[in-house]
Amino acid sequence: MITAVTEGVKVSVKTEYQHDYSSPMQAHYVFTYRIAIENVGEHTVQVLRRHWFIHDANGLVREVEGEGVVGLQPVLEPGERHEYVSGCNLHASMGKMVGTYLVERLIDGKQFRIQVPEFTLVVPFQLN
């Protein structure tokens, strides 16, 4: 699991290759990733937006931006955590994702970006 902390918000990521939904002969590789967002700070925060860059080993880069995380804009009190699972597909057996969440501190309305740690997406047989 990969983890980063920005301004009292901890983001952890774990990835998994989805063999049953992938088709290597057609250069279609599906991955899921589980994200945990934890408020380790002193103030309540709300996740407003996400911004991702998805890179595959063929040099293709996709940018994804939108509201919330999987349709939600979770509010996290100090000590609370929100987990979700999402996925992406690549045209190569290896890639990576990196991004940010736009978060608002509710006590004063301050908005800031928190880092999602860069994580790799690798088909298991590539590791041998």
Side-chain angles (χ1 to χ4, degrees), residues 5 12 14 16-17 20 29 36 43 57 61-63 69 71 91 95-97 103 106 117-118 121 128:
V5 179
S12 303
K14 184 176 180 184
E16 189 174 342
Y17 173 62
D20 292 345
Y29 302 89
H43 303 288
V61 179
R62 290 178 286 163
E63 185 175 8
V69 291
H91 297 293
K96 66 181 180 180
M97 289 179 64
V103 173
L106 298 185
E118 180 177 290
L121 305 162
N128 292 332

Side-chain angles (χ1 to χ4, degrees), residues 61-90:
V61 179
R62 290 178 286 163
E63 185 175 8
V64 177
E65 189 171 11
E67 286 190 3
V69 291
V70 292
L72 301 173
Q73 293 181 313
V75 174
L76 301 171
E77 300 285 340
E80 289 186 335
R81 116 193 225 129
H82 176 78
E83 287 191 37
Y84 71 94
V85 176
S86 191
C88 71
N89 63 305
L90 300 178

Side-chain angles (χ1 to χ4, degrees), residues 48-54 62-68 100-102 113:
L48 301 176
R49 300 186 63 79
R50 69 191 181 286
H51 188 191
W52 292 106
F53 290 97
I54 305 167
R62 290 178 286 163
E63 185 175 8
V64 177
E65 189 171 11
E67 286 190 3
T100 59
Y101 295 124
L102 179 63
R113 295 205 176 269

